[in-house]
Amino acid sequence: MKGSLLLCLSVALWAVLVPTSAQEITLKEAGPVSLTLTLNFPTGTGSAAFNVYYNSMDPGCTQVISNYMSGKTTPPSLFDGVLPLSGAWIPATVPTSTYTITGLQPGTAYGMALVGVNSVYSPVYQSSLEGFTTTDLPAPIAVLADALSATSAEVSWQIPTNISRLYHTNPINITYHVDYYEIDPTPCFSRFSTSVPGTSSSVILSALVPSGAYKFEVYSETNGVTSEKVQGIVTLPTSPNITAVDREPLLEVAAGFDNDILLKGLGTRDGRWGWDDLCKWYGVTCNSFGRVVGLNLSTVAGPYVFNLGGTLSPAIGQLTELVRVSFQGQQIGGELPAELANLTKLEEIELKNNKFSGQIPPILFQSWSNLLIMEFGQNSLGGYIPPDIRMYKMQRFYLYNNEIEGTIPSTITRMRSIERLNVGANRLSGGIPYFTQADFPNMTFFGCSDNGITAPGFPTQFCDIPKLDKLQLSGVVLTGSGPELNFPSCLGHLSNLQSINADEMGVTGDIPATFMSLYNMEVLSLFQNTLTGGVENLCNMSKLEALDLSRNSISGSLPSCFGDMQNLVYFKLNENKFEDEFPYWIKNIKLQMFNIFDNFFYGDLTNAVFYPPGNCSLTHFIVGGNQLSGVVGGFDECSGSLLFLILAENKFRNPFPSLNGSFAGLQKIDISGNEFSGAIPSVLLNAPNLVDFQTARNGYHSNLEVLCQLSFLDTIDISNNSFSGTFPPCFQTSEKLESVNVADNLFSNIDALILNENIQILTASSCNVTGPLPYMSKNSFTSLILSENPINMEISDMFDRLKGDTASSLVSLELSMCGLYGGISPVDFSFLRESVLSEQGNALNTRRVIDRVPVFEKLRSMDLSSNKLNGFLPTINTLEQIDSLDLSNNEFVGEIPEAYSAVRLLKLDNTYIQSSRKQLPSFLTLRPSDVQKNDTFFFTCPGIVNVIESRSSSVDAFYLDYTHCTCNDGRYGLPPNCYACPVGTECTGGNLRVQPGYWAPPEALHNVSLNLPTNFTALICYDDKLGSNPCNPPTDDEQECKLGYGGRLCSLCVNASNSQYFRVGRECRSCVQLGFLSLGDVLPAIYALLVVGLAAYLILKPVSTSASGLVKSFTTFLQIVSYLKTSGITWPSDVNNLLEVEETASLSISAFECLLGTDVYTKRVLITLALPIATLLITFIMYWFGVVIIVLKYKVLEVRRKKRKYWKGKCYFMVLYITSLLYISMCRTVLMSFSCHTPPDQEGEPITYMTWEPSLVCPFYASSSIHWIFAVTLSALFVYILGLPIIYIILLRRSRQKSESIVRTVSTNFLCAAYKDEYYWWDIVVKVKKFIFVALMVLPPPGSAVMPIGVFGVVLFFALLESVVRPFKAELDNKMEVAAMYLTLIIYFLGMLLMVDTIEQ
């Protein structure tokens, strides 16, 4: 301003002395930093020399430049700042010339003078000129000015189409400036300026001088760069006097404000007029009739900031001619007067950024039918938007940042002229009304962000608003599902869209392909949604200036097209799933915000460049949480801009990022979680104003003293490094430190931090700090975390060192795992204070009062867990204010005091506290739905919870001695002793039950019943019949075996329910009771008689009977098939009955066991092995009985001899026949004693049990009690099993030796009568077949594949052999034998199908 005033004075003086010619200097060309002049030198100036002078000035004050320097020998001294651009004079002999002034400022007005002087510096010529340098920033166009009243005027313009407009998410601010000054009647008296945001296109100039002429200039500005200035002139009419109607109301309005500057008359524009002329007050506009039509006291409307305060008087409603009211930013509070409804002519009301509260009078929405602009944003207004809206002309409707409730009424569609609607940041709920283009044909902006509004899917009605350029829906919660949550593709057809704010909506899916058509997009903010896919569809947004896609699930690569977006300054992709190489293309654009935190970017940043060369505007460089590596540098040119440098959680290494230069603006550095090591770098001193330094999880170990020199540091995090020893003493006097984290280092002494009286948050857990700690009586800690240090102090001593300022300010105290010991007394939480009180204000009448004052007055959280604290739980006199108290894992005893009910989060588990009455305190209760699991001892208890839902209590089940707990499924016993459930059992609710089909030793189950540990494996029992198992039937809860079963694996048949049971295969059946006979009981007896009768028939028939072959085949078939009943195959009951009938062919009737009275294996073996002896004995008796009869009947000796010989042969025949029938049963009985196996999962020395008698230890096992059985059966093997075929061979060979052909006698008839002579020995083959068949059935262990494959092969082999050899004389016998073998094969195959599951097991 000084230069312009001096130039104005010089103009006035020079104009008097020197004649002028305005045509001798002209502007040829203007550039951003230069002006080119054309100089036309006048004639008749003699030998004058010329020079050019210039100055940046107020163009309105630039008049004629004259010379006042007559007689001076030096250039004019008054031209300070008006610099000669050439050291040499321009010769006057040159008729014309051009001259270029350089080094100017873009968009600036300059005054220039061509000065001619003679040799003694007397002025002989001058000429002056105004000029403007150009700028790349477009200037406003179509500038107009209209006088609104005698004291106000409106200047308007059009915004150039190519200018950038950014909104609140963009750090760049484009501003329009209007400079104005009075040129008539007092030119150059004073200069004013006002500014508006880049989205505005007009401004009201208030408090002007009536009848005055004002010159104005309009220009745009951003970051110090201005456009050309567009000029204009406006003349005001004469000021009327305010009418009596408006005078008093206006004074009342002024009196309602706290600031009475208006009432004192100082509110006028220049203070020259009295306060009685109210129309001349600053901001007051009157019409030609003296009525007040405008009140404009907004901070954005002029140079004055009144901060009026107070309230808006209801008297404003009496100013009924008001058209415009603006009180923006004036701190006015109170409620809006309902009298505002009287202002029916109101067109604009702007109350933004005040303190208005209460409900917006609903009547305003009906009365202001002429209203165009309603700006109530940034207040505390409540109420609701009434459905009866009559603002038919409304263009701008702003209620954002208030406390409006209710819903957005569907009647907003009555405001058909609306252009901009913003109701964001309120308490609105419900949905967004549906509307179409017909409802809002001119809408350009819609905003309802940050409310409680919901929508089933992304609102599609905006697709029908073609002029829409700005959409703010952040915080609108989408409640639907599926594709309706995706961005509608139709949004991409809104070609005018410049800004979309859709943060925190729950939008899903990919970014639509139609977004490729949003060429005008400048701001796209989609923060915290669930977007997926890639970002390729944003590549055509060449005008993009701000992009925020943070906190989504976007993945894939980052296309290089973003490197071509020259306007992009704000770039946030943090917390997504991008996986790509680092975007090195950022060096091509002037980014300010670059944030790719928490993605999967990779690459080596060594030598990488992050900004255009020589033009760094980076303020935020945030690349933490990726997979980047290398050495980071290249920030030297960012010293004037860089604010945040975040490199955390990567693999960067030394050296520290280059910070050469002065980084005075750098506030935060976070390099945590990298591979830096060594000493803290001294280069940090180049950031003297650093506030936050974090280098956790690195390998630094020294040079902490550098941080002491950063006097503005308030936050330090060096946790998890390798520092050790004593913390540097210099930190004790650091004045700005507030938060320090040194956890997980090896500091043995941190006294410097503990004694720093400014630190509020100190985290030093796991630091190897030892006690005793220093006294902290003067500290101001709010949070002190010293957990996991070997402090090893008595708890009362620890509390003594905290008492004082530290204790009174502490909010959070953590001392877990510190080796603290001893008991806590009430004294530790309070101290005695003595006060002197005067009674009734009489200083002479006083009394001394001693009361107990809490030590921890502000404590909200205390953690003393995992120490060795003992005694009773402490009584704390500030429990009602504590939010969290953790005393777990200590040695406290006793019961929980009722006072603990006030604690909001209480942890007392893993202590020795226990209720002697097994009762909980009144504030705790058991909640079965809130289970408490003990994973160490495997039991579950109903949760012990606080009766108040908002509070949480953790108390160990030991408090009630586990009486309410049960062992987990899979465990048995009583908590805390819960044992693993053995194999083959199931445990629920602590109870053990052997699974159906399994058997457990009784002694083990007895230990279980006594809640003792036991170690056994339940064994799988054999099925007794198809689909049935005798062990632990599901329907029987009390017996281990089914009725009639007992012993190991329930393999014995026992007496039960006054009934005796016998064995059929593995099934136990009740013995026959008279009157209760069944088919299965009767048929064996009948068939036994049939077999005996057949035997008698064969004995009595002649030797050569042909029936013997058929009998042999049929008997062999029945013996083999009937043996399948006891082979381990679980047949259906009816089939089992039939097989039992056939079993009589082996003279083995199962019901015979009923005669024994018990199911004893040894008796059965002995009886079976005694049958051949019994047969011989009975035959011997029959023989002598027959001899006696013969002697008595026949007297002739020769006849006696023949009859006796014949009878002897018949007896031999009977012995051979019966022993043949017994052979297969004898084989089974003998071989069963050799079939043993060892059960799985046995502890200690394994025990081997008999396969077919699972209750008995194998006879040849050391601990067996039936060793003699082995000797008996082994003898029977040689004597009978092998001996019988040998006897047959001897008999046949003796008979063969008597003749070439077999001699068939009565004794050998049974053996060979049915066979051909050449196959007389075939009965020996049959015996071998039976033996092999039985051996394969008996000897393999259970489930072995040897048995089914072997038996199947043997039967098939003999079937094929007999079909080839055909040994019988009668062809029918041969066919019968072959058919019997194949039928046996089929029956066995069907039985194998029933055994598939058993074999697999």
Side-chain angles (χ1 to χ4, degrees), residues 340-396:
L340 285 170
N342 298 330
L343 307 181
T344 57
K345 296 182 180 180
L346 200 62
E347 295 180 0
E348 300 179 22
I349 180 166
E350 298 175 338
L351 303 179
K352 172 185 174 182
N353 193 16
N354 280 285
K355 297 181 179 180
F356 289 110
S357 60
Q359 182 178 355
I360 301 177
I363 192 173
L364 301 184
F365 294 90
Q366 291 94 44
S367 302
W368 289 344
S369 58
N370 292 306
L371 198 63
L372 303 176
I373 299 173
M374 182 177 177
E375 170 62 279
F376 283 3
Q378 294 178 276
N379 283 282
S380 298
L381 293 168
Y384 62 97
I385 305 174
D388 188 9
I389 299 177
R390 302 178 189 177
M391 300 176 177
Y392 306 113
K393 299 180 181 180
M394 182 64 68
Q395 296 177 3
R396 287 188 290 174

Side-chain angles (χ1 to χ4, degrees), residues 699-1007:
Y700 286 119
H701 57 69
S702 60
N703 204 25
L704 280 174
E705 290 79 3
V706 169
L707 302 182
C708 283
Q709 303 178 50
L710 299 174
S711 57
F712 289 95
L713 267 181
D714 66 13
T715 300
I716 297 176
D717 186 353
I718 58 171
S719 60
N720 219 326
N721 278 272
S722 299
F723 296 102
S724 60
T726 300
F727 210 83
C730 61
F731 281 92
Q732 183 174 340
T733 57
S734 297
E735 296 181 354
K736 297 290 185 179
L737 272 183
E738 295 182 358
S739 176
V740 180
N741 187 345
V742 298
D744 294 290
N745 281 284
L746 297 174
F747 294 113
S748 59
N749 186 306
I750 58 170
D751 289 357
L753 297 177
I754 293 177
L755 295 176
N756 186 310
E757 299 177 4
N758 301 303
I759 296 177
Q760 298 179 18
I761 301 174
L762 176 59
T763 302
S765 55
S766 300
C767 272
N768 202 34
V769 175
T770 59
L773 301 179
Y775 285 91
M776 296 168 262
S777 59
K778 295 183 181 288
N779 295 76
S780 56
F781 291 128
T782 59
S783 175
L784 181 60
I785 302 175
L786 300 176
S787 300
E788 299 182 55
N789 282 292
I791 296 176
N792 298 327
M793 292 175 59
E794 189 173 3
I795 186 65
S796 58
D797 187 15
M798 184 71 200
F799 282 160
D800 283 342
R801 295 170 187 270
L802 291 174
K803 288 180 180 179
D805 293 342
T806 294
S808 62
S809 62
L810 266 177
V811 175
S812 177
L813 176 63
E814 294 187 19
L815 296 172
S816 63
M817 300 179 67
C818 286
L820 301 177
Y821 56 89
I824 303 176
S825 69
V827 178
D828 295 324
F829 289 94
S830 63
F831 63 93
L832 295 177
R833 180 179 62 184
E834 182 177 348
S835 344
V836 178
L837 299 179
S838 61
E839 297 184 3
Q840 299 180 351
N842 187 352
L844 298 178
N845 188 11
T846 61
R847 58 189 179 93
R848 304 173 72 85
V849 177
I850 299 178
D851 56 355
R852 189 167 290 280
V853 179
V855 172
F856 301 100
E857 296 179 0
K858 299 179 181 179
L859 193 64
R860 294 290 181 271
S861 174
M862 182 166 64
D863 185 355
L864 300 177
S865 62
S866 301
N867 283 289
K868 298 178 182 179
L869 305 179
N870 53 37
F872 295 106
L873 292 175
T875 301
I876 306 174
N877 52 2
T878 56
L879 278 174
E880 67 278 354
Q881 70 185 27
I882 292 182
D883 293 324
S884 175
L885 177 62
D886 190 348
L887 301 176
S888 60
N889 293 293
N890 278 287
E891 299 173 2
F892 292 112
V893 296
E895 301 192 3
I896 303 173
E898 288 288 344
Y900 278 48
S901 62
V903 181
R904 294 167 182 81
L905 177 59
L906 179 65
K907 292 185 178 181
L908 299 174
D909 44 323
N910 291 327
T911 63
Y912 297 121
I913 59 173
Q914 190 176 72
S915 172
S916 59
R917 301 167 297 163
K918 303 296 185 290
Q919 292 182 357
L920 293 171
S922 61
F923 66 94
L924 298 178
T925 186
L926 292 175
R927 182 185 296 165
S929 61
D930 189 6
V931 296
Q932 189 180 71
K933 291 186 177 181
N934 188 311
D935 295 330
T936 302
F937 297 102
F938 308 103
F939 61 86
T940 302
C941 309
I944 299 178
V945 299
N946 204 299
V947 295
I948 301 176
E949 291 292 336
S950 60
R951 298 184 179 180
S952 174
S953 300
S954 177
V955 179
D956 195 80
F958 176 75
Y959 189 74
L960 296 178
D961 197 21
Y962 307 109
T963 54
H964 55 300
C965 305
T966 56
C967 293
N968 296 342
D969 288 349
R971 297 273 168 169
Y972 73 92
L974 294 176
N977 300 316
C978 293
Y979 309 107
C981 205
V983 176
T985 65
E986 53 189 21
C987 301
T988 56
N991 298 317
L992 180 144
R993 189 186 191 283
V994 181
Q995 294 182 16
Y998 285 80
W999 178 88
E1003 60 275 11
L1005 296 180
H1006 178 69
N1007 289 338

Side-chain angles (χ1 to χ4, degrees), residues 1034-1282:
T1035 57
D1036 192 347
D1037 295 331
E1038 297 181 357
Q1039 301 186 54
E1040 299 174 15
C1041 302
K1042 285 200 305 188
L1043 189 68
Y1045 294 80
R1048 185 176 178 274
L1049 301 184
C1050 299
S1051 58
L1052 295 177
C1053 296
V1054 297
N1055 298 335
S1057 300
N1058 299 321
S1059 178
Q1060 185 177 333
Y1061 285 79
F1062 69 97
R1063 181 179 304 190
V1064 179
R1066 293 192 184 275
E1067 181 182 4
C1068 291
R1069 293 186 179 182
S1070 177
C1071 292
V1072 177
Q1073 298 292 326
L1074 186 60
F1076 298 93
L1077 298 178
S1078 64
L1079 182 63
D1081 300 322
V1082 174
L1083 285 180
I1086 295 175
Y1087 195 71
L1089 295 176
L1090 180 63
V1091 171
V1092 173
L1094 181 60
Y1097 168 76
L1098 292 175
I1099 291 174
L1100 298 175
K1101 286 288 291 180
V1103 173
S1104 59
T1105 177
S1106 61
S1108 61
L1110 182 61
V1111 171
K1112 280 182 175 290
S1113 296
F1114 186 60
T1115 302
T1116 300
F1117 168 73
L1118 291 179
Q1119 285 183 326
I1120 293 177
V1121 171
S1122 67
Y1123 185 68
L1124 296 179
K1125 179 175 70 69
T1126 57
S1127 63
I1129 300 176
T1130 51
W1131 300 96
S1133 297
D1134 291 340
V1135 176
N1136 222 23
N1137 291 336
L1138 182 60
L1139 293 178
E1140 184 183 356
V1141 171
E1142 297 171 352
E1143 190 180 8
T1144 56
S1146 299
L1147 294 182
S1148 176
I1149 302 176
S1150 299
F1152 181 75
E1153 297 175 6
C1154 290
L1155 299 177
L1156 301 178
T1158 182
D1159 178 18
V1160 178
Y1161 168 71
T1162 55
K1163 290 184 179 180
R1164 282 190 277 110
V1165 170
L1166 293 177
I1167 291 175
T1168 302
L1169 296 181
L1171 287 177
I1173 299 174
T1175 300
L1176 292 175
L1177 181 59
I1178 294 172
T1179 304
F1180 179 77
I1181 294 173
M1182 288 179 61
Y1183 170 74
W1184 288 109
F1185 180 76
V1187 168
V1188 171
I1189 293 176
I1190 292 172
V1191 170
L1192 296 176
K1193 184 176 180 180
Y1194 300 101
K1195 304 299 182 182
V1196 180
L1197 291 177
E1198 183 63 23
V1199 175
R1200 287 180 179 177
R1201 186 184 63 81
K1202 289 182 179 180
K1203 290 295 182 181
R1204 183 175 177 179
K1205 182 178 180 181
Y1206 179 80
W1207 178 241
K1208 181 179 179 181
K1210 288 294 183 179
C1211 288
Y1212 281 150
F1213 177 89
M1214 186 176 69
V1215 170
L1216 293 175
Y1217 177 69
I1218 293 176
T1219 53
S1220 178
L1221 293 179
L1222 288 173
Y1223 187 77
I1224 196 166
S1225 296
M1226 294 291 292
C1227 288
R1228 177 176 181 271
T1229 300
V1230 170
L1231 294 178
M1232 278 176 57
S1233 65
F1234 297 96
S1235 177
C1236 299
H1237 76 284
T1238 302
D1241 302 324
Q1242 288 194 69
E1243 295 292 332
E1245 184 180 356
I1247 300 176
T1248 302
Y1249 292 89
M1250 296 181 65
T1251 302
W1252 298 97
E1253 292 293 335
S1255 61
L1256 297 177
V1257 178
C1258 210
F1260 48 82
Y1261 188 73
S1263 62
S1264 176
S1265 60
I1266 54 172
H1267 290 295
W1268 57 273
I1269 287 291
F1270 176 69
V1272 171
T1273 54
L1274 184 62
S1275 301
L1277 175 65
F1278 290 101
V1279 172
Y1280 184 73
I1281 306 301
L1282 299 179

Side-chain angles (χ1 to χ4, degrees), residues 374-498:
M374 182 177 177
E375 170 62 279
F376 283 3
Q378 294 178 276
N379 283 282
S380 298
L381 293 168
Y384 62 97
I385 305 174
D388 188 9
I389 299 177
R390 302 178 189 177
M391 300 176 177
Y392 306 113
K393 299 180 181 180
M394 182 64 68
Q395 296 177 3
R396 287 188 290 174
F397 185 72
Y398 289 153
L399 293 179
Y400 60 92
N401 279 4
N402 278 286
E403 299 176 6
I404 309 296
E405 299 179 341
T407 62
I408 303 176
S410 60
T411 51
I412 62 168
T413 55
R414 296 177 182 176
M415 298 189 290
R416 294 184 181 274
S417 299
I418 197 74
E419 297 176 2
R420 310 181 75 77
L421 185 150
N422 190 351
V423 293
N426 279 285
R427 298 178 181 177
L428 296 170
S429 58
I432 301 175
Y434 181 77
F435 46 79
T436 64
Q437 180 182 359
D439 296 317
F440 297 136
N442 300 314
M443 177 176 281
T444 60
F445 170 41
F446 183 92
C448 64
S449 299
D450 303 321
N451 280 284
I453 296 174
T454 60
F458 196 97
T460 58
Q461 57 261 51
F462 297 104
C463 296
D464 199 29
I465 310 298
K467 293 184 179 180
L468 194 67
D469 62 24
K470 188 173 183 180
L471 180 62
Q472 293 184 352
L473 299 177
S474 296
V476 174
V477 178
L478 305 184
T479 59
S481 60
E484 62 183 347
L485 300 183
N486 299 350
F487 271 121
S489 59
C490 58
L491 278 181
H493 303 314
L494 299 176
S495 58
N496 291 318
L497 264 182
Q498 298 176 5

Side-chain angles (χ1 to χ4, degrees), residues 483-597:
E484 62 183 347
L485 300 183
N486 299 350
F487 271 121
S489 59
C490 58
L491 278 181
H493 303 314
L494 299 176
S495 58
N496 291 318
L497 264 182
Q498 298 176 5
S499 174
I500 296 178
N501 290 81
D503 305 331
E504 300 178 278
M505 291 185 65
V507 182
T508 63
D510 297 350
I511 297 175
T514 55
F515 274 35
M516 294 285 285
S517 302
L518 298 178
Y519 304 106
N520 294 311
M521 185 63 66
E522 296 174 356
V523 176
L524 182 62
S525 183
L526 308 178
F527 161 79
Q528 197 162 331
N529 284 287
T530 317
L531 294 172
T532 55
V535 292
E536 295 79 7
N537 294 332
L538 306 181
C539 278
N540 287 347
M541 298 181 181
S542 58
K543 299 180 181 180
L544 197 63
E545 298 168 353
L547 176 65
D548 189 350
L549 300 178
S550 55
R551 296 191 182 180
N552 279 281
S553 297
I554 301 173
S555 58
S557 59
L558 191 60
S560 60
C561 62
F562 290 101
D564 300 325
M565 299 180 181
Q566 295 302 311
N567 296 326
L568 190 61
V569 295
Y570 191 86
F571 191 72
K572 289 187 67 176
L573 301 181
N574 52 292
E575 297 171 79
N576 276 285
K577 299 179 180 179
F578 287 100
E579 187 171 358
D580 194 7
E581 190 175 24
F582 181 83
Y584 298 104
W585 44 256
I586 66 171
K587 66 182 180 180
N588 300 325
I589 53 179
K590 301 177 183 179
L591 284 175
Q592 294 184 14
M593 165 66 76
F594 179 67
N595 188 346
I596 58 171
F597 179 81

